[in-house]
Amino acid sequence: MAFIKRKERSKERFSLLLLDLEEYYFEQHTVYHVTTSSAKKRKIRGSLKVCSKSIIFEPEDHVEPILKIPLRDCKKIEAVEEKDQNPFNESKPAGLTILCKQVYLIKENNVVAPYRVERGDSTFLFHLEVSSKTEDVVQTLLQLHRASCLDKLGDQTAMIAANLQSRLARTSFDKNSFQNVSEIPHMECEAEMVTPLVTNPGHVCITDQSLYFQPLNGYPEQVVRIELHRVKQIYKRRHGLRPLGLEVFCTENDFCSDIYLKFYKTSDRNDLYYYIATFLENHMVEHTAESYMLQWQRGHLSNYQYLLHLNNLADRSGNDLSQYPVFPWIIADYNSTELDMMNPATFRDLSKPVGALNKERLERLLSRYRDMPDPRFMYGSHYSSPGYVLFYLVRVAPEHMLCLQNGRYDNADRMFNSIGETWKNCLDGATDFKELIPDFYGNDPSFLLNCLSLDLGKRQGGSSVQDVVLPPWAADASDFLQKSQKALESQYVSEHLHEWIDLVFGFKQKGSEAVAAHNVFHPLTYEGGIDCDSIEDPNEKIAMLIQILEFGQTPTQLFTTPHPQRITPRFQSISRTPSVNTPLNELSPASTSEDSSFEDLTEETRRLAWNNIAKLKLMSTHKIHKEAVTGIAVTRTASSVFTTSQDSTLKMFSRESNGLQRSMSFSNMALSSCLMLPEDKAVVCSSWDNNVYFYSIPFGRRQDTLMGHDDAISKMCWKDNQLYTASWDSTVKVWQCDSADIANNKRCQFQLLAEFEHEAGVRACLSPHMMLTCLSEMTLLFAICLSLSVQQPYPNLCFLHVQVNTINLNPAGTLLVSGTKDGTVTIWDTSSSVQLHQVHCHSGKIHDVAFSPDSRHILSVGEDSCLKVIDVQTGMMISSVQADEEQRCFCWDGNTVLSGGQSGHLQVLDLLSNKVTTRIPGHSGAVTAMWMNEQCSTVITGGEDKQIIFWKLDC
């Protein structure tokens, strides 16, 4: 209701809401309305407003009604001069007479009420205070009168638009309005300031310090100024489904902007946007749907805040009632005396649109849908429109409702009388599918109360429309809002809100998924459903634009894949059915109180460490290799550090003696990684010679060799006596290895348990000059046919393989993620060896991947200098951060990333804000390996400068 609060600041009775929709207010003149009653002449001083479709007289005396005379109802408009028989008297000022068929009387006795219409011929006489302007005013009114009397709406609109453009062309921004004489203007253009149901034309000017809007009519103020340094966010908007809008926010409140502008040219809008964005790039964080999703998933945003952010990103604005923010019905119980938040039946099914909640009604709608010619739709009305918004807000925005409905309120029985009745009608009504607005989950209950003592009519039973009837479980309006807020943030809603987001903002909004979800609305409501600029007939075009604005618009689609579920505590789930997107890995069963206490303490230690990770202090550096360091493994006591290098050696560094203790070489090729086995008895090393080497620490020698790949081994993982090896031969292999045998210096019986094949496609070598890459079974069959047709042998068809560069296991060992040379991340189920998701997210080689501690997300870094966050549940890439340099390795806690870059520096990145918070100088070459202890208080890094560096948290 932010726009209502702004209106309350104005003491004027006149407002642009007295105009018709798509009408402009051009100019005003001080006049005297001359009336004759009982042979007594009265002069009522006031302001005459010249508008594109009407003449409005606002008297200074608030007891007198405002007069609105539609130009189309005028029979005569002319200038007159009062004649005086006495030649010695001064000439009287010229007058303006208007003969009309009907007039609207508004705000009689200064009361907001339906307009009173006086029909029948009436004559009005106005004397202008500046009489010399009378003839000009008359000519303007005659021109606008001719436009209003044209038969076709398109012709009327074109003639009025020509008048408007002429006025804008004859004027320009008044630079005397600059706040500072030193301001340097950058650009000027024409635009309209948008407020609910109203657009106000004028001139825009942007300088090196401020954004200005100067209304053509000087209303409601001579100039609107916004200091650029105060701007927090700017958003491009579509207005009437066209890319013409720009909204500017100077606060963090996504529901209350400082100005909304609609431009006549998209290029003007874009130029202004990029100028402001360039000005703000150093102190304004650009948020995306994915970045907000990550914050919401991890509990840093409430459900309410997240929905507001999504509405904002999807072009929903409090200034545009055809695109007002949309919120879901949450509660389904409006009869009980107590609201049971633990009962799933209390809540609405968020996986279905409102129109599909009643099975019998849905069957009738589907039957009509199946028989309908194209373009087909299931619902004839939308879930959000100006009429629905004002249906809810009529008690606080009566003038908006009167504007929308030509000076009338709706029938008293059709008004917002009861929350329970409204919900029932949304379930059963043949054409009522509306959702709610943010105000139902806010803190201001005034929209539920008739605080303005409005006469909203009487219902059939004779009772007058007063406050909204609340459900039995609400003590009063404030209690209703508090319980609605609690319901919105409840566990059930948190577990299912993503399903509603899929319908309104996500992949079920359009196409076959929308049909399957029974979520198909009229084509005119969708972005791209129609191109108004391509319609040549002006009448059809105007009719289409009005229909779009009044019918409602579907939000801009933000997600094209299933939205991830929120991370919620699992110990108190009240879901009636499993979510469509059930998490791939369930959390561990409840621990004993002793274990839980220890885990809580460890978790708190980690949290504090990550909160202070920017305070890492370099403790010592040691150059122990001749080439780049590739891997780091540390004993449980942290007394010994093992490192591998491209110099083909495994080194053992003693923390106690602070020196190198051992150096081992297994082959003449580079070692690529290493890991420590349980009991600290053996180190496993992978090599570019296709082998894995097991080194016994107590015996100081190579204990075993695993020859398991056809190309270099790049990375390894270990979990529960299973060794996972990734190779450039395109495979990840899983081996059964008994760590007890290795610890006891016994030779191990390596058993291959599974093999994860990474294939990019199929190549058919048809001739020396002819190649075909096949990415599906159909193209494979086609390639085989081509191979036969050119009499080439079938064996010339070969699979294209991609090098697996890195792998990582989730903490439970149930999921594995791999990153390849071609920039693809693949998620695997280790128990079934099934590929769950494959996401091509980097434009080059992936250097490192890792699960978040809760296994909900995966972070990857690549040679394209990007950091990507992928949701494990859906395979959706939910965040992408462009770093200023290539990042080679990292550790993270799910929110904050400590990474090592190409320059040798460490950087701390906050994923929730997508900002690098700290850079820490370290190596003189790229950081190639990183290890962090369980408490997250000690870090060891290795680099291309052949050094290892020990870091300690200094807090």
Side-chain angles (χ1 to χ4, degrees):
M1 293 182 287
F3 66 90
I4 300 165
K5 292 184 174 65
R6 284 200 295 270
K7 176 69 179 65
E8 287 171 354
R9 293 198 292 267
S10 172
K11 300 298 182 183
E12 287 185 315
R13 291 202 298 163
F14 170 79
S15 85
L16 297 178
L17 292 169
L18 301 183
L19 280 59
D20 292 346
L21 294 176
E22 301 298 305
E23 182 178 7
Y24 298 110
Y25 164 35
F26 286 141
E27 60 191 56
Q28 72 89 28
H29 302 275
T30 302
V31 301
Y32 294 89
H33 176 210
V34 182
T35 64
T36 303
S37 177
S38 302
K40 183 180 178 182
K41 184 182 289 187
R42 291 179 61 213
K43 286 188 175 182
I44 303 171
R45 194 173 190 270
S47 174
L48 190 73
K49 320 285 186 181
V50 177
C51 306
S52 58
K53 299 179 182 180
S54 63
I55 307 162
I56 296 175
F57 173 67
E58 178 192 16
E60 290 181 353
D61 185 350
H62 286 191
V63 175
E64 298 290 335
I66 295 173
L67 305 178
K68 178 178 178 181
I69 306 170
L71 285 167
R72 68 176 178 274
D73 293 330
C74 292
K75 292 183 173 181
K76 183 191 297 183
I77 301 174
E78 62 181 3
V80 295
E81 189 169 319
E82 290 191 14
K83 297 182 179 180
D84 198 318
Q85 301 295 330
N86 189 342
F88 298 102
N89 288 344
E90 293 183 11
S91 59
K92 300 293 183 181
L96 164 68
T97 63
I98 301 170
L99 174 62
C100 64
K101 293 185 290 185
Q102 66 176 1
V103 61
Y104 294 90
L105 283 72
I106 305 169
K107 293 187 180 179
E108 295 182 86
N109 296 309
N110 206 27
V111 174
V112 176
Y115 304 166
R116 184 162 65 87
V117 184
E118 286 189 353
R119 294 181 172 85
D121 288 353
S122 301
T123 302
F124 296 90
L125 173 62
F126 298 100
H127 287 171
L128 271 70
E129 195 167 67
V130 181
S131 57
S132 58
K133 292 185 177 180
T134 302
E135 192 59 41
D136 290 340
V137 173
V138 169
Q139 292 305 314
T140 297
L141 291 175
L142 289 172
Q143 184 184 33
L144 294 172
H145 177 255
R146 285 195 295 273
S148 296
C149 292
L150 293 173
D151 293 334
K152 294 183 177 179
L153 182 60
D155 294 338
Q156 291 180 28
T157 303
M159 191 169 178
I160 291 171
N163 188 303
L164 171 62
Q165 292 303 317
S166 174
R167 288 171 179 269
L168 289 169
R170 294 196 307 269
T171 57
S172 62
F173 182 84
D174 181 6
K175 294 183 175 57
N176 291 321
S177 300
F178 284 172
Q179 185 76 11
N180 193 321
V181 293
S182 64
E183 288 188 59
I184 302 172
H186 172 70
M187 70 170 284
E188 290 182 41
C189 62
E190 291 79 38
E192 296 176 10
M193 187 167 74
V194 178
T195 52
L197 302 181
V198 167
T199 58
N200 198 14
H203 296 278
V204 171
C205 180
I206 189 164
T207 72
D208 58 337
Q209 298 178 29
S210 303
L211 170 65
Y212 294 94
F213 175 75
Q214 196 166 62
L216 186 64
N217 49 35
Y219 179 87
E221 47 193 322
Q222 290 297 318
V223 68
V224 178
R225 174 175 177 256
I226 294 176
E227 298 172 90
L228 294 182
H229 70 84
R230 292 180 52 241
V231 175
K232 301 294 184 186
Q233 295 291 338
I234 51 172
Y235 292 96
K236 291 180 180 179
R237 296 286 189 225
R238 52 176 189 162
H239 190 274
L241 296 181
R242 293 180 295 173
L244 298 172
L246 182 74
E247 194 161 21
V248 180
F249 294 78
C250 293
T251 68
E252 300 294 342
N253 184 354
D254 278 355
F255 200 16
C256 184
S257 69
D258 288 75
I259 194 168
Y260 186 137
L261 297 170
K262 184 190 85 171
F263 294 80
Y264 298 110
K265 300 176 185 175
T266 302
S267 57
D268 286 342
R269 190 276 304 268
N270 292 343
D271 288 346
L272 196 71
Y273 174 87
Y274 289 122
Y275 181 83
I276 299 176
T278 302
F279 180 89
L280 300 172
E281 63 182 354
N282 293 326
H283 66 274
M284 184 181 75
V285 178
E286 184 175 355
H287 291 289
T288 62
E290 289 76 17
S291 66
Y292 282 132
M293 181 203 296
L294 188 62
Q295 293 181 56
W296 172 74
Q297 267 198 295
R298 300 199 158 275
H300 296 271
L301 289 176
S302 67
N303 292 338
Y304 176 82
Q305 290 170 322
Y306 185 48
L307 288 176
L308 268 188
H309 287 316
L310 292 185
N311 272 283
N312 205 7
L313 291 171
D315 283 327
R316 314 301 284 186
S317 168
N319 282 309
D320 185 354
L321 296 190
S322 66
Q323 298 189 95
Y324 199 77
V326 57
F327 270 57
W329 284 95
I330 293 296
I331 298 170
D333 178 7
Y334 295 98
N335 298 316
S336 302
T337 55
E338 296 291 333
L339 192 63
D340 184 3
M341 300 280 186
M342 301 307 297
N343 183 0
T346 297
F347 301 94
R348 165 257 183 105
D349 185 348
L350 290 164
S351 69
K352 298 176 181 178
V354 168
L357 293 174
N358 183 324
K359 188 175 181 180
E360 292 180 4
R361 178 179 64 176
L362 179 63
E363 286 301 323
R364 293 194 299 270
L365 293 169
L366 290 178
S367 176
R368 186 190 66 174
Y369 172 76
R370 286 188 284 267
D371 297 335
M372 189 182 293
D374 289 333
R376 297 189 296 171
F377 53 88
M378 296 175 185
Y379 309 114
S381 62
H382 205 252
Y383 51 76
S384 175
S385 69
Y388 288 159
V389 174
L390 294 176
F391 168 85
Y392 292 127
L393 298 181
V394 64
R395 288 168 177 80
V396 288
E399 292 181 73
H400 291 80
M401 177 64 87
L402 293 172
C403 174
L404 185 69
Q405 299 207 147
N406 299 314
R408 301 185 303 272
Y409 293 134
D410 202 352
N411 180 281
D413 285 297
R414 290 198 299 267
M415 296 195 80
F416 183 31
N417 292 301
S418 161
I419 293 172
E421 285 181 12
T422 302
W423 168 247
K424 186 176 185 303
N425 199 55
C426 288
L427 286 181
D428 302 334
T431 60
D432 194 350
F433 315 109
K434 59 179 172 285
E435 293 279 10
L436 296 182
I437 55 177
D439 308 75
F440 278 81
Y441 305 101
N443 297 313
D444 185 356
S446 58
F447 75 100
L448 299 170
L449 307 171
N450 189 11
C451 297
L452 300 177
S453 301
L454 300 169
D455 182 2
L456 298 172
K458 291 186 181 295
R459 305 188 66 181
Q460 286 184 355
S463 61
S464 60
V465 176
Q466 293 296 331
D467 298 344
V468 176
V469 178
L470 303 173
W473 46 257
D476 53 35
S478 295
D479 184 55
F480 171 78
L481 292 189
Q482 290 170 10
K483 286 176 178 171
S484 296
Q485 291 168 9
K486 187 177 179 182
L488 179 62
E489 305 302 332
S490 67
Q491 182 159 334
Y492 178 87
V493 174
S494 293
E495 290 177 350
H496 291 273
L497 187 58
H498 64 287
E499 297 172 335
W500 186 83
I501 292 171
D502 283 336
L503 294 169
V504 177
F505 302 105
F507 82 113
K508 292 182 180 179
Q509 186 196 89
K510 300 177 183 177
S512 59
E513 293 289 352
V515 175
H518 305 133
N519 194 40
V520 182
F521 294 86
H522 194 283
L524 282 180
T525 68
Y526 295 95
E527 186 174 21
I530 189 166
D531 181 7
C532 289
D533 293 327
S534 67
I535 300 175
E536 296 182 359
D537 185 335
N539 298 299
E540 183 184 348
K541 184 174 183 178
I542 294 302
M544 196 68 69
L545 283 171
I546 291 175
Q547 187 174 350
I548 288 170
L549 291 172
E550 294 186 358
F551 190 82
Q553 298 171 47
T554 301
T556 298
Q557 189 174 25
L558 300 178
F559 309 105
T560 55
T561 56
H563 191 288
Q565 189 179 27
R566 191 173 196 186
I567 300 170
T568 57
R570 309 300 295 182
F571 56 83
Q572 203 172 344
S573 174
I574 59 168
S575 301
R576 51 181 153 193
T577 56
S579 165
V580 173
N581 298 314
T582 303
L584 296 168
N585 58 307
E586 295 298 327
L587 299 183
S588 302
S591 306
T592 64
S593 59
E594 186 177 341
D595 290 341
S596 177
S597 176
F598 176 76
E599 289 172 4
D600 289 346
L601 182 61
T602 305
E603 185 58 38
E604 180 65 15
T605 302
R606 292 192 191 107
R607 189 185 66 79
L608 290 173
W610 276 103
N611 285 344
N612 293 280
I613 201 69
K615 297 179 181 178
L616 271 183
K617 182 180 179 182
L618 191 154
M619 304 302 293
S620 62
T621 63
H622 307 274
K623 187 174 182 179
I624 60 175
H625 283 283
K626 296 178 181 178
E627 297 293 341
V629 178
T630 57
I632 301 171
V634 182
T635 57
R636 287 179 299 171
T637 60
S639 58
S640 298
V641 177
F642 290 84
T643 59
T644 51
S645 168
Q646 289 182 5
D647 64 9
S648 76
T649 63
L650 170 68
K651 306 278 188 178
M652 176 180 172
F653 183 89
S654 171
R655 295 295 307 277
E656 295 170 353
S657 64
N658 203 33
L660 185 65
Q661 275 196 337
R662 301 183 194 176
S663 178
M664 294 70 67
S665 181
F666 305 120
S667 76
N668 58 0
M669 296 191 73
L671 298 180
S672 56
S673 68
C674 61
L675 58 84
M676 182 71 60
L677 292 188
E679 309 299 329
D680 290 350
K681 295 294 181 67
V683 178
V684 187
C685 305
S686 59
S687 174
W688 285 4
D689 67 2
N690 313 351
N691 295 330
V692 176
Y693 298 98
F694 292 78
Y695 175 78
S696 171
I697 298 175
F699 291 90
R701 61 180 173 80
R702 183 177 70 186
Q703 179 176 325
D704 219 332
T705 302
L706 170 62
M707 295 176 284
H709 285 277
D710 299 324
D711 206 337
I713 299 173
S714 54
K715 191 74 181 286
M716 301 177 298
C717 293
W718 177 276
K719 184 69 177 180
D720 297 336
N721 288 328
Q722 291 183 1
L723 178 67
Y724 296 77
T725 57
S727 170
W728 294 352
D729 66 5
S730 84
T731 67
V732 174
K733 295 184 178 180
V734 188
W735 308 88
Q736 180 71 41
C737 306
D738 192 335
S739 62
D741 287 347
I742 298 171
N744 294 324
N745 199 32
K746 296 180 181 178
R747 292 190 66 83
C748 190
Q749 298 297 317
F750 300 113
Q751 179 185 356
L752 181 62
L753 300 177
E755 183 172 334
F756 305 146
E757 185 75 31
H758 296 67
E759 296 168 355
V762 178
R763 174 173 294 167
C765 305
L766 301 179
S767 72
H769 305 289
M770 192 173 178
M771 285 203 161
L772 175 67
T773 299
C774 308
L775 299 177
S776 68
E777 293 179 7
M778 290 301 294
T779 49
L780 172 58
L781 292 172
F782 179 60
I784 293 172
C785 294
L786 282 177
S787 174
L788 296 173
S789 68
V790 295
Q791 297 182 341
Q792 290 287 338
Y794 178 74
N796 281 6
L797 284 169
C798 55
F799 285 102
L800 291 179
H801 298 298
V802 289
Q803 296 180 356
V804 184
N805 216 49
T806 182
I807 55 172
N808 184 254
L809 282 169
N810 72 331
T814 56
L815 299 172
L816 178 134
V817 59
S818 57
T820 62
K821 189 177 181 180
D822 71 347
T824 300
V825 168
T826 308
I827 306 171
W828 307 82
D829 184 334
T830 56
S831 60
S832 62
S833 304
V834 171
Q835 182 187 110
L836 301 173
H837 300 291
Q838 189 172 66
V839 187
H840 187 80
C841 52
H842 290 274
S843 58
K845 178 170 63 177
I846 296 176
H847 292 305
D848 200 4
V849 292
F851 285 91
S852 58
D854 59 10
S855 302
R856 300 280 182 158
H857 298 123
I858 291 167
L859 177 66
S860 61
V861 296
E863 64 181 2
D864 57 3
S865 301
C866 287
L867 294 87
K868 310 278 188 171
V869 179
I870 297 169
D871 182 75
V872 173
Q873 198 177 315
T874 62
M876 179 192 290
M877 188 172 68
I878 61 174
S879 182
S880 178
V881 182
Q882 182 70 47
D884 54 8
E885 68 170 3
E886 193 175 334
Q887 302 299 303
R888 299 286 295 273
C889 54
F890 66 87
C891 296
W892 74 314
D893 72 337
N895 298 325
T896 306
V897 182
L898 175 69
S899 61
Q902 192 68 25
S903 67
H905 292 182
L906 304 186
Q907 75 171 20
V908 180
L909 172 75
D910 179 8
L911 282 174
L912 300 180
S913 64
N914 287 355
K915 289 178 66 176
V916 175
T917 58
T918 309
R919 286 185 175 82
I920 308 171
H923 293 268
S924 58
V927 184
T928 52
M930 183 180 293
W931 174 89
M932 179 182 280
N933 69 341
E934 187 179 358
Q935 291 74 31
C936 309
S937 58
T938 301
V939 175
I940 304 173
T941 56
E944 284 186 350
D945 58 3
K946 310 161 192 174
Q947 296 189 108
I948 58 171
I949 298 181
F950 291 88
W951 307 81
K952 195 76 174 175
L953 207 56
D954 184 22
C955 58

